[in-house]
């Protein structure tokens, strides 16, 4: 149980970016040279295979086997992609405009700084909610085990 809680804590720290940069495109299954270290929140370009168009997106997480998942702009669900590279100003990046309501302020501007602070606060709140949910699941599993033991002890099926 304690080991599960420690794993949950590591997961939360990784989700809110406290774990820093982890892994690389090679670990993600990406084949693009120069993709460098990846981290949650990094803007990248992905494609499904050679000859397919590059799509802009955001790294949203890392799966169990170290593969990174990316949410493509305008999509509702993140996926693992075979080709990944950091987003650069290229024709592919210029052809996929930011979704409506997304800020376009340059990094370091006052508006950008306040949005980054708000984003960090929201990531933290989300991570806390996920931690609470995982702790509830652990407690639920413990209670199920106790109920099973009591039923065996009482001979109830």
């Amino acid at each position: 149980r304690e080991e599960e809680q420690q794993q949950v804590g590591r997961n939360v720290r990784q989700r809110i970016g406290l774990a820093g940069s982890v892994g690389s495109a090679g670990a993600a299954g990406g084949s693009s040279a120069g993709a460098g270290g990846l981290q949650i929140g990094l803007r990248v370009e992905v494609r499904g295979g050679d000859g397919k168009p590059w799509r802009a997106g955001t790294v949203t997480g890392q799966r169990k086997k170290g593969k990174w998942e990316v949410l493509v702009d305008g999509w509702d669900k993140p996926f693992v992609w075979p080709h990944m590279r950091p987003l650069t100003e290229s024709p592919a990046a210029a052809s996929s405009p930011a979704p409506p309501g997304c800020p376009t302020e340059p990094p370091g501007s006052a508006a950008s700084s306040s949005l980054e602070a708000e984003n960090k606060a929201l990531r933290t709140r989300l991570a806390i909610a996920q931690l609470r949910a995982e702790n509830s699941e652990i407690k639920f599993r413990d209670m199920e085990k106790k109920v099973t033991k009591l039923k065996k002890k009482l001979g109830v099926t």
Side-chain angles (χ1 to χ4, degrees), residues 1 138-154:
R1 179 182 163 116
I138 291 169
K139 288 180 182 179
F140 180 76
R141 277 186 253 133
D142 287 347
M143 290 305 289
E144 280 183 324
K145 289 177 186 176
K146 288 180 182 178
V147 167
T148 303
K149 283 182 183 178
L150 284 173
K151 282 183 177 181
K152 284 183 181 178
K153 188 175 185 179
L154 297 172

Side-chain angles (χ1 to χ4, degrees), residues 67-106:
K67 296 188 180 231
W68 292 94
E69 51 186 35
V70 175
L71 178 64
V72 172
D73 294 347
W75 291 22
D76 294 330
K77 185 177 177 186
F79 292 95
V80 172
W81 295 84
H83 301 277
M84 185 181 314
R85 67 182 182 197
L87 184 64
T88 59
E89 287 306 316
S90 66
S95 67
S96 59
C102 284
T104 57
E105 292 86 8

Side-chain angles (χ1 to χ4, degrees), residues 17-70:
L18 294 177
S21 176
V22 289
S24 68
S31 61
S32 300
L38 294 176
Q39 64 183 23
I40 295 173
L42 182 70
R43 297 282 297 156
V44 294
E45 288 180 308
V46 295
R47 67 180 179 181
D50 292 331
K52 302 237 175 150
W54 288 97
R55 300 169 188 257
T58 305
V59 177
T60 58
Q62 190 174 24
R63 296 209 177 149
K64 288 183 180 178
K65 293 186 178 181
K67 296 188 180 231
W68 292 94
E69 51 186 35
V70 175

